[in-house]
Amino acid sequence: MPSGKQIFMLELPSPMIEWLDTMVKAHSLPDRSKAIRCCVNCVAMKNMDITEIQRENFHRLEEIKVELAKQQIEWIKRNSESGTSITIAVAG
């Protein structure tokens, strides 16, 4: 049965990827994709302004591949400056 999720490429700072991996272990999540989906849902439900977080501390970015629901991808594109980054959702 298809999951309805799509592959989405993200660029995140290394410390955020490490934080995601810690959250995956701490909450017994299946993978980073689930952790990212939880972060996106949390920020979207709180109706946060995702443009508020400073980006100057994000020096080194790493690309990761995650599975997100179509609605989550649409939300990210509507609410992010670049349309491809959810660094802010993860930081939120």
Side-chain angles (χ1 to χ4, degrees):
M1 182 151 115
S3 69
K5 294 179 182 66
Q6 301 174 4
I7 300 297
F8 195 70
M9 298 302 292
L10 304 173
E11 286 186 336
L12 299 174
S14 299
M16 284 191 184
I17 293 173
E18 292 169 13
W19 179 84
L20 282 171
D21 291 338
T22 300
M23 294 301 104
V24 166
K25 289 179 185 174
H27 298 283
S28 301
L29 301 174
D31 52 34
R32 288 178 180 163
S33 291
K34 179 63 176 179
I36 292 282
R37 290 193 300 272
C38 291
C39 292
V40 170
N41 289 345
C42 180
V43 172
M45 288 172 47
K46 290 182 180 181
N47 200 24
M48 296 173 69
D49 179 359
I50 64 170
T51 61
E52 292 179 4
I53 296 176
Q54 300 289 328
R55 293 178 185 255
E56 63 248 12
N57 295 326
F58 301 158
H59 300 292
R60 197 179 86 204
L61 298 175
E62 293 182 37
E63 191 170 74
I64 63 170
K65 180 172 47 173
V66 296
E67 291 184 1
L68 299 174
K70 182 180 176 184
Q71 298 88 340
Q72 291 172 315
I73 294 171
E74 290 169 357
W75 182 88
I76 291 166
K77 289 180 178 180
R78 277 193 316 271
N79 291 284
S80 68
E81 294 171 333
S82 68
T84 59
S85 174
I86 64 164
T87 298
I88 294 157
V90 175

